[in-house]
């Protein structure tokens, strides 16, 4: 999947680069964390290719930002989605560990973002 950026706008690649640099990581260090080639990270950052859905979720979790932030749908970085409060959890997620709930919520947010981008 290829991407394009409008002139003067920071696209997904630029936001990925900024998050990587915020952590003080090299492209190789990020590639190692993701179990991909350094060239894959470079292609993402240079908007030659875009991460697929699963990789987007992994990047959001790794950087601790929302998919809206990485996709440019929000003005500033946000932490991981907040977990439902007790009594507000219609899916009964309370039986899951915190990391499992965070993963499910991040996946749901990435899915919703993908739908918004498609116009669904």
């Amino acid at each position: 999947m290829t991407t394009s950026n409008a002139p003067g706008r920071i696209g997904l690649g630029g936001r990925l680069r900024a998050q990587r640099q915020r952590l003080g990581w090299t492209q190789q260090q990020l590639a190692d964390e993701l179990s991909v080639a350094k060239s894959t990270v470079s292609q993402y950052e240079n908007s030659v290719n875009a991460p697929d859905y699963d990789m987007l979720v992994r990047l959001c979790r790794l950087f601790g930002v929302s998919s809206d932030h990485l996709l440019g749908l929000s003005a500033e970085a946000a932490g991981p989605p907040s977990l439902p409060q007790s009594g507000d959890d219609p899916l009964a997620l309370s039986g899951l560990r915190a990391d499992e709930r965070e993963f499910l919520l991040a996946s749901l947010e990435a899915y919703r973002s993908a739908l918004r981008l498609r116009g669904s």
Side-chain angles (χ1 to χ4, degrees), residues 2-90:
T2 60
T3 62
S4 62
N5 294 327
R9 289 188 61 199
I10 297 176
L12 172 61
R15 284 184 291 280
L16 289 173
R17 178 179 289 115
Q19 290 300 317
R20 175 182 58 79
Q21 291 172 339
R22 179 181 61 84
L23 295 174
W25 291 356
T26 64
Q27 285 185 342
Q28 186 62 58
Q29 287 171 310
L30 178 56
D32 292 344
E33 283 289 323
L34 299 171
S35 299
V36 299
K38 178 186 171 205
S39 62
T40 300
V41 172
S42 176
Q43 289 174 2
Y44 292 164
E45 290 186 1
N46 290 300
S47 299
V48 172
N49 285 313
D52 64 16
Y53 171 82
D54 291 331
M55 184 60 69
L56 180 63
V57 171
R58 291 177 64 197
L59 288 162
C60 290
R61 294 188 75 208
L62 183 64
F63 293 143
V65 298
S66 70
S67 57
D68 280 358
H69 172 68
L70 284 184
L71 295 171
L73 300 174
S74 67
E76 54 188 80
S82 59
L83 297 176
Q85 298 300 314
S86 179
D88 294 336
D89 192 354

Side-chain angles (χ1 to χ4, degrees), residues 61 93 96 99-109:
R61 294 188 75 208
L93 297 177
L96 300 175
D99 64 316
E100 293 171 326
R101 286 184 284 178
E102 288 175 9
F103 173 78
L104 288 174
L105 291 171
S107 298
L108 178 59
E109 182 58 34

